[in-house]
Structures are given as C-alpha cells and as structure tokens.
Amino acid sequence: MSRKEKLIKRLLGKPKDFSYDELRTLLKLFGYEELKKGKTSGSRVAFVNEKSMHIIRLHKPHPRKTLKRYQIEYVIESLKEKGDIT
C-alpha cells in the first residue's frame, strides 16, 4: 500500500488525531499547493490544485496540530466532489 493510499484510508476513518501535516502531505500528493493570503492571513489557508483550479479553504489548527472533525469531513467531501477519492 502506497503512502497516498494509507493517508486516504486514514482520512476516511475520520481519526481524532489526523494532523495538519498529514493533510498537507496528502493534498500535495493530489497536486494541491498550500497558499497563504499575505502577511495578515492569520490561520487561513487555501490549498489550490492549479490543474483543475479546485480550492480547499480552511483554518490551520492551533495551538494543537490536529484537525477538527468538521474540517476532516469538509476535506473528504471536497475530494469526493472532485473525484479524487470514492
């Protein structure tokens, strides 16, 4: 099983400890690039797939590094709509 497949399986399991770094790695494997909106963006980030122009927007988790349940569900829904995962 590849790293990408392992991360997809883990994401779909909706774990309570899915980290922002894991999400960044997974989205990078799908061709997304992390963009911050300038100096004053705070914790807002957007992951953009230049090829399809698909955008996933969310807030970086802080002070802890794990994503909240609604963020995981949003990412899953976005990737399913785009057809990256089933």
Side-chain angles (χ1 to χ4, degrees), residues 22-83:
E22 288 175 301
L23 176 67
R24 187 177 0 192
T25 300
L26 178 62
L27 292 179
K28 187 173 183 177
L29 292 170
F30 278 118
Y32 287 83
E33 183 179 327
E34 181 180 17
L35 299 177
K36 298 173 187 163
K37 301 227 179 200
K39 294 179 185 179
T40 60
S41 70
S43 63
R44 292 177 295 166
V45 294
F47 290 94
V48 179
N49 185 314
E50 294 285 334
K51 203 175 213 180
S52 65
M53 294 310 296
H54 186 252
I55 301 171
I56 297 176
R57 297 179 199 275
L58 50 90
H59 283 85
K60 275 176 124 173
H62 56 80
R64 58 190 171 88
K65 302 282 187 194
T66 56
L67 297 174
K68 294 183 179 178
R69 177 115 178 153
Y70 78 90
Q71 291 174 311
I72 292 172
E73 290 173 356
Y74 167 69
V75 170
I76 291 171
E77 183 181 319
S78 293
L79 292 175
K80 281 185 176 182
E81 283 178 8
K82 187 174 172 279

Side-chain angles (χ1 to χ4, degrees), residues 5-19:
E5 290 169 335
K6 288 178 185 177
L7 284 172
I8 292 170
K9 184 177 179 179
R10 183 159 154 70
L11 178 71
L12 292 175
K14 300 179 185 176
K16 292 183 180 187
D17 63 344
F18 197 82
S19 73

